[in-house]
Amino acid sequence: MKWSPRVENRLVDVAKFVVVLTACAYLLLRGSAGIGYNWQWQTIPSYLLTVDGGHLRPGPLLRGLLVTLEITFFSLLLSALIGLGVALLRLSGSFVGRLLARVYLETIRNTPLLVQIFFLYFVMAPILDIGRFATGVLALSLFEGAYASEIIRAGIVAVPIGQWEAAHALGLRSFDTYRAVIIPQAMRRILPPLTSQAVSLLKDSALVSTIAVYELTMEGRTIIAETFLTFEVWFTVAAIYLVVALFLSFVADQAGKYLRIS
Amino acid sequence: MNDQAKQESNSPIIDVRRIEKIFPGPVVALRDFFITVERGEVLVIIGPSGSGKSTFLRCLNGLEEIDAGTIRIDGISLDENEANRLAIRRKIGMVFQSFNLFPHLTVLGNVDLAQRLVQKKSRRQAAEFSRRLLEQVGLADMEDRYPHQLSGGQQQRVAIARALAMMPKIMLFDEATSALDPEMIGEVLDVMRQLARDGMTMVVVTHEMGFAREVSDRILFMDKGRLVEEGESQTFFRNPRHARTREFLQQIL
């Protein structure tokens, strides 16, 4: 049998990949055998799905995933709103507005997210009287909002100046100019990178486990504390994040392609 | 007619006094510039590039801020007051060299937009008037197309319809045919010619000397931000008074 050089190359690549993967797995297994780790994969499915009185119920890991998705969803909405507001402030004619936006951006981008979460949880949450879930969403939104605002600002600035002039010449107010002329055109440039932000949010949401929000990572830690299934649970948790993040990336790519075509 | 109304209708619709415009640099774009335009008059502005023609047009509806002097449009002063500025912009339609149609809206959407947002017309009322305007500029069957599906000449005619949708008292044309392929210039000039015939007050910056001679009531020659010479269009081309004007006309005719 004779293969074309392209197929041959592809096969060599696949072979290399398999070799590397096998080597990694071998090292891991040997290492865990070395410390006497007792693998118990058979118990993991029950943490994903449990059978309770003949009904299938989500286990702690899937419930945690659901909370993670909720946090990601609300944070994405809120961060888009914050991002839009801050972007408009930065582009506004008001000096105070621009200054405020600048202070917010620099503070958020130059302090660790973990510190921001603790600050909100231990300082702001008691003052504002908000719960852990809301605190987590707020912290993530403020953090991602800073990055979203840069994306949105870039999208707005990229709209040609002639579009503003045409709208102004027709007598449109600033608000209508933004709403009906500028934002719809900026959206095309804003949406794909903003969807990618959803992936960052998903991953960063693991940090709110530190303030005892029972999302995926926190559920994983709880199971490990009870069962000592450290390796299996972290593998599973990582795999769940990987699958969801890959799915979101795929959606972002498709959205980007669609917007480029239309 | 009461006294005030009488005075309004007799006074020039555009009254520009000693305006100055300086761009950062500093580059003086307009210096000690004054002009009045009567109702129904067609004024054509010519001059070499960089002479301040476009800047002057853009000052008239506040797209550029003036650094000195006064501008009054139809009795309203163009100043810091935002309401005055909006009121003036609603009296003035503007057509740009690069069309500046809204690419995310259909032809009908482009013409409808300001009617709905500024004049608060219903969707049906706006569409009805838009269709009349599109017919007027010869694009009755194009309302569902998007700007990128049209030729340059068609786009510019949509832009004219869009400006007319606000029922302006004045139309400004900023080199409206300069970005067009030669074979499309005629269709846009035809629409402009018809507008002039219908009595629209027009201020036109153009390099189309044939159009200027045929349609305008008055021609104004600018150089280096100043008004060099103005005259009735019939005599202007035959007897330019200034050496600079003669030089310019020789170069382009």
Side-chain angles (χ1 to χ4, degrees):
Chain A
M1 195 150 69
K2 186 81 184 131
W3 280 315
S4 74
R6 244 187 76 204
V7 175
E8 211 162 277
N9 278 341
R10 182 69 52 84
L11 282 173
V12 171
D13 276 349
V14 169
K16 284 177 187 163
F17 179 70
V18 169
V19 168
V20 171
L21 212 60
T22 318
C24 287
Y26 172 73
L27 285 174
L28 185 71
L29 283 173
R30 237 190 69 148
S32 61
I35 57 170
Y37 192 83
N38 179 23
W39 292 93
Q40 299 177 53
W41 279 108
Q42 67 280 7
T43 56
I44 290 299
S46 68
Y47 294 114
L48 293 170
L49 285 169
T50 52
V51 182
D52 178 23
H55 290 287
L56 216 53
R57 289 182 187 284
L61 285 182
L62 274 195
R63 285 204 305 270
L65 174 62
L66 207 66
V67 176
T68 291
L69 292 177
E70 275 173 24
I71 293 173
T72 305
F73 176 75
F74 288 121
S75 303
L76 191 65
L77 283 189
L78 195 55
S79 69
L81 282 179
I82 293 173
L84 181 63
V86 174
L88 293 183
L89 269 185
R90 281 200 71 185
L91 294 167
S92 78
S94 149
F95 176 75
V96 177
R98 289 202 303 269
L99 187 72
L100 274 177
R102 203 59 204 251
V103 167
Y104 161 74
L105 281 177
E106 296 304 337
T107 310
I108 294 291
R109 287 195 299 195
N110 294 297
T111 54
L113 174 55
L114 192 56
V115 173
Q116 292 168 22
I117 291 173
F118 286 155
F119 178 80
L120 279 184
Y121 182 60
F122 292 113
V123 180
M124 297 311 288
I127 296 172
L128 300 173
D129 192 24
I130 51 176
R132 291 195 301 266
F133 182 86
T135 308
V137 167
L138 190 61
L140 289 171
S141 305
L142 285 172
F143 180 75
E144 295 294 341
Y147 296 90
S149 83
E150 288 296 278
I151 292 170
I152 293 171
R153 194 176 72 101
I156 290 174
V157 170
V159 175
I161 191 91
Q163 294 292 310
W164 299 85
E165 293 184 345
H168 286 154
L170 285 169
L172 264 63
R173 291 168 193 283
S174 270
F175 176 77
D176 285 331
T177 302
Y178 267 113
R179 188 180 59 82
V181 177
I182 304 301
I183 299 289
Q185 294 183 57
M187 268 316 201
R188 172 172 305 208
R189 294 186 185 87
I190 290 171
L191 268 186
L194 210 57
T195 326
S196 309
Q197 285 292 101
V199 178
S200 303
L201 260 175
L202 175 81
K203 293 181 296 180
D204 292 341
S205 73
L207 283 171
V208 304
S209 66
T210 54
I211 57 170
V213 175
Y214 277 77
E215 41 67 78
L216 182 54
T217 304
M218 187 64 191
E219 293 287 2
R221 284 168 58 186
T222 312
I223 296 168
I224 292 165
E226 288 164 1
T227 63
F228 300 106
L229 294 171
T230 315
F231 283 26
E232 295 88 334
V233 170
W234 283 133
F235 264 112
T236 312
V237 167
I240 294 174
Y241 277 117
L242 182 66
V243 168
V244 178
L246 283 176
F247 174 72
L248 284 179
S249 299
F250 173 76
V251 171
D253 276 2
Q254 293 303 308
K257 270 183 205 150
Y258 175 78
L259 285 171
R260 258 196 303 282
I261 292 164
S262 69
Chain B
M1 204 190 281
N2 64 33
D3 283 349
Q4 201 192 344
K6 197 186 279 175
Q7 201 186 353
E8 291 253 307
S9 66
N10 289 335
S11 64
I13 194 164
I14 299 176
D15 187 352
V16 172
R17 295 190 188 173
R18 312 203 61 155
I19 62 167
E20 210 164 275
K21 173 69 194 175
I22 301 163
F23 286 113
V27 179
V28 179
L30 291 172
R31 174 167 284 167
D32 195 16
F33 193 87
F34 54 91
I35 187 79
T36 55
V37 179
E38 302 299 324
R39 281 158 214 278
E41 193 178 12
V42 177
L43 174 71
V44 165
I45 304 177
I46 60 173
S49 60
S51 59
K53 311 181 296 276
S54 291
T55 306
F56 167 63
L57 273 198
R58 294 157 59 81
C59 285
L60 285 180
N61 65 350
L63 287 184
E64 303 283 359
E65 304 267 353
I66 50 175
D67 295 303
T70 59
I71 295 177
R72 286 177 79 81
I73 305 290
D74 202 17
I76 303 175
S77 169
L78 178 62
D79 48 32
E80 306 295 299
N81 187 323
E82 184 66 13
N84 280 0
R85 179 178 304 257
L86 286 176
I88 284 175
R89 282 174 173 169
R90 285 160 199 184
K91 287 175 187 285
I92 300 182
M94 186 166 194
V95 177
F96 301 87
Q97 179 177 357
S98 51
F99 324 141
N100 295 348
L101 290 180
F102 304 131
H104 60 300
L105 297 176
T106 61
V107 165
L108 193 67
N110 268 275
V111 186
D112 277 352
L113 188 74
Q115 296 180 65
R116 302 198 50 210
L117 294 181
V118 177
Q119 297 174 330
K120 310 290 181 199
K121 283 193 197 171
S122 73
R123 185 183 293 270
R124 228 189 46 200
Q125 280 177 312
E128 210 171 287
F129 188 52
S130 298
R131 291 199 178 98
R132 285 221 322 257
L133 291 170
L134 287 172
E135 199 169 328
Q136 188 183 330
V137 299
L139 295 170
D141 48 345
M142 300 281 181
E143 63 175 64
D144 291 327
R145 304 255 185 121
Y146 282 88
H148 69 91
Q149 296 169 313
L150 303 179
S151 72
Q154 289 169 332
Q155 288 191 47
Q156 194 60 299
R157 285 186 281 152
V158 173
I160 293 173
R162 179 177 70 174
L164 290 175
M166 296 301 291
M167 297 201 281
K169 295 188 166 181
I170 304 166
M171 284 287 281
L172 308 178
F173 292 87
D174 188 4
E175 303 200 16
T177 56
S178 297
L180 296 176
D181 291 335
E183 73 268 25
M184 289 168 186
I185 291 174
E187 63 193 54
V188 172
L189 291 183
D190 281 344
V191 172
M192 291 168 66
R193 205 172 278 130
Q194 188 57 48
L195 267 181
R197 228 174 272 144
D198 293 345
M200 177 67 78
T201 309
M202 291 164 65
V203 182
V204 183
V205 170
T206 187
H207 297 298
E208 298 292 327
M209 291 304 144
F211 176 81
R213 198 188 308 232
E214 175 200 335
V215 177
S216 73
D217 299 307
R218 196 148 54 107
I219 301 213
L220 195 152
F221 175 66
M222 284 181 75
D223 191 29
K224 301 195 176 102
R226 288 174 188 273
L227 191 165
V228 175
E229 177 168 358
E230 62 168 299
E232 220 178 291
S233 48
Q234 298 310 317
T235 53
F236 181 90
F237 286 103
R238 258 179 277 136
N239 305 309
R241 292 189 301 270
H242 278 262
R244 183 72 189 90
T245 316
R246 279 197 293 273
E247 189 189 337
F248 176 75
L249 288 177
Q250 262 164 17
Q251 274 165 2
I252 57 164
L253 290 179

